[in-house]
């Protein structure tokens, strides 16, 4: 259920970025949702579209595009690149839940499938990122 | 129509909101490990809670969390609602990575520590608090720098012992914090055994108040994990006085 908190963060960050760029209205926000955090996409999209936009007029009529991003790891020890499918098992329910709350805890629960090291980088698909904010110029916006 | 903006990490945008209901935020640090930062942080939070204040405690030592051990917190995940709820532990709202990863090593590099910190700031629902205590890990690394960068209204409490090794390290921390014009509430001596004036002299040399000494207490170890016994120690009596000075 902390999807609401993440959706709230997306809303506020998108509005801040749009205002900084001199937009008067946001037409679309594209959000990448990383596989590692196991966000409940339906709940996240519901929060984005139905629950939270009322808080800021800049978002009136805005469209939200949620794109899933597969997780990719790179082992710093043996140089192996790997994905979730390369790991043995999915981890315990508690491990999955922990990574849902704090994706960095993957280093406590996952290991490089070749050398067994926890010292790997998450190179893609960690969590929630805004990949694009599109909108219309504010009439009184100065030259950029 | 402007073109699409570059990728944005949304979490930083809500940190101030998440902390909006918090009155004061006190970061406890001391540069060196093993000088009792976590015990002092947890005890300060407990002393304030005993005095009727609404208090939170955030354990930021992700690789070696121990606030949950000191306060005897229940195991298991925190509750989840609009965000993640801290656990009520002896009247203190406690948040720790240990709730998510108990009894496993959490090996994190610097950027991963920063990522976990930002995630916790973005999703933890502190609600209304009079005080939030941040228990910092040793050193002036990612967490200390991100506390300065991200946490609004933060004030630092520095701990030191009378050891020259620790004093030198705390002096460097004081130089950094005062140079950055970060509010420093004062300097307290922990694990006091003699009557050395080194810590108070160090504070005076920076114009930073000396807030008193917390004695070495041989009975403290046995009291950890039991707030009732912790409250009965000579150490806690001194922490109560420190809490009074800080909130006075």
């Amino acid at each position: 259920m902390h999807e609401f908190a993440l959706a709230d963060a997306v809303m506020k960050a998108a509005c801040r970025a749009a205002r900084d760029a001199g937009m008067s209205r946001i037409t679309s926000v594209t959000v990448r949702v990383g596989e590692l955090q196991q966000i409940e996409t339906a709940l996240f999209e519901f929060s984005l579209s139905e629950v939270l936009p009322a808080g800021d007029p800049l978002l009136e009529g805005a469209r939200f595009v949620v794109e899933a991003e597969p997780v990719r790891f790179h082992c710093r020890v043996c140089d192996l690149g790997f994905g979730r499918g390369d790991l043995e098992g999915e981890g315990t329910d508690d491990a999955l839940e922990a990574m849902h709350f704090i994706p960095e805890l993957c280093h406590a629960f996952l290991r490089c499938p070749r050398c067994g090291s926890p010292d790997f980088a998450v190179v893609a698909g960690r969590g929630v990122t805004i990949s694009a904010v599109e909108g219309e110029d504010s009439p009184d916006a100065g030259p950029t | 129509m402007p073109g699409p903006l570059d990728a944005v990490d949304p979490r930083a945008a809500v940190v101030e909101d998440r902390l909006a209901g918090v009155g004061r935020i006190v970061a406890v640090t001391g540069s060196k490990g093993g000088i009792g930062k976590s015990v002092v942080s947890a005890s300060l939070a407990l002393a304030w809670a005993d005095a009727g204040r609404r208090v939170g405690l955030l354990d930021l030592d992700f690789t070696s969390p121990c606030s949950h051990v000191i306060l005897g917190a229940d195991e298991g995940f925190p509750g989840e609602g609009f965000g993640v709820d801290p656990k009520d532990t002896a009247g203190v709202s406690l948040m720790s990575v240990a709730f998510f990863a108990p009894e496993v090593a959490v090996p994190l590099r610097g950027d991963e520590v920063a990522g976990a910190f930002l995630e916790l700031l973005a999703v933890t629902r502190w609600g209304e608090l009079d005080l939030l205590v941040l228990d910092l890990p040793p050193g002036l690394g990612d967490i200390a720098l991100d506390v300065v960068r991200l946490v609004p209204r933060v004030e630092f409490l520095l701990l030191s012992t009378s050891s020259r090794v620790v004093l030198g390290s705390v002096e460097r921390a004081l130089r950094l914090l005062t140079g950055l014009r970060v509010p420093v509430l004062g300097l307290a001596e922990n694990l006091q055994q003699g009557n050395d004036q080194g810590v108070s002299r160090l504070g005076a040399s920076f114009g930073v108040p000396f807030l008193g000494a917390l004695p070495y207490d041989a009975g403290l170890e046995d009291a950890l994990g039991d707030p009732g016994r912790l409250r009965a120690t000579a150490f806690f009596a001194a922490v109560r006085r420190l809490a009074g000075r800080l909130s006075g």
Side-chain angles (χ1 to χ4, degrees), chain A residues 34-105:
Chain A
E35 180 186 11
L36 183 61
Q37 195 160 22
Q38 312 149 83
I39 294 293
E40 277 190 48
T41 311
L43 180 58
F44 185 65
E45 286 178 320
F46 176 73
S47 308
L48 287 171
S49 301
E50 304 293 332
V51 180
L52 295 165
D56 197 312
L58 207 59
L59 286 163
E60 200 174 313
R63 190 169 61 97
F64 293 92
V65 180
V66 177
E67 298 172 341
E69 183 181 34
V71 65
R72 290 297 301 168
F73 305 100
H74 185 92
C75 181
R76 294 182 176 108
V77 177
C78 75
D79 216 27
L80 178 71
F82 57 101
R84 197 65 189 264
D86 301 315
L87 298 168
E88 281 185 27
E90 285 286 298
T92 64
D93 287 348
D94 280 355
L96 293 172
E97 186 79 347
M99 291 185 281
H100 171 59
F101 284 114
I102 306 174
E104 283 72 19
L105 291 178

Side-chain angles (χ1 to χ4, degrees), chain B residues 134-189:
Chain B
L134 307 179
D135 175 16
L136 269 60
L140 297 169
D142 296 82
I143 288 285
L145 294 172
D146 275 347
V147 164
V148 171
R149 181 172 69 94
L150 293 170
V151 178
R153 312 181 305 283
V154 69
E155 305 167 282
F156 277 77
L157 167 64
L158 274 85
L159 290 184
S160 183
T161 71
S162 58
S163 162
R164 280 182 294 159
V165 174
V166 179
L167 282 167
S169 176
V170 173
E171 182 175 350
R172 285 189 283 275
L174 272 169
R175 191 161 284 132
L176 176 77
L177 293 171
T178 55
L180 291 173
R181 302 189 188 285
V182 176
V184 177
L185 292 167
L187 187 61
E189 180 175 354

Side-chain angles (χ1 to χ4, degrees), chain A residues 1-2 5 8-9 12-13 16-17 37 76 94 97-98 101 104-105 107-108 119-120 126 128-131 133 135 137, chain B residues 1-2 4-5 7-8 10-11 13-14 17-18 77 80-82 84 100 105-109 112 115-116 119-120 123:
Chain A
M1 285 285 285
H2 85 298
D8 178 46
K12 292 193 165 104
R16 181 182 291 182
Q37 195 160 22
R76 294 182 176 108
D94 280 355
E97 186 79 347
F101 284 114
E104 283 72 19
L105 291 178
H107 298 281
D119 188 9
F120 51 80
R126 176 208 169 276
V128 175
T129 308
I130 299 173
S131 55
V133 178
D137 272 331
Chain B
M1 179 180 289
L5 299 177
V8 173
R11 297 170 297 172
V14 287
D17 281 10
R18 298 289 182 265
F77 286 103
E80 196 182 355
F82 180 81
V84 183
F100 306 99
V106 183
L108 298 177
R109 286 181 179 267
E112 294 151 1
E119 192 75 26
L120 274 180
V123 302

Side-chain angles (χ1 to χ4, degrees), chain B residues 67-88:
Chain B
S67 300
H68 63 298
V69 174
I70 295 164
L71 291 179
D74 294 333
E75 292 181 358
F77 286 103
E80 196 182 355
F82 180 81
V84 183
D85 299 323
K87 277 193 182 182
D88 185 343

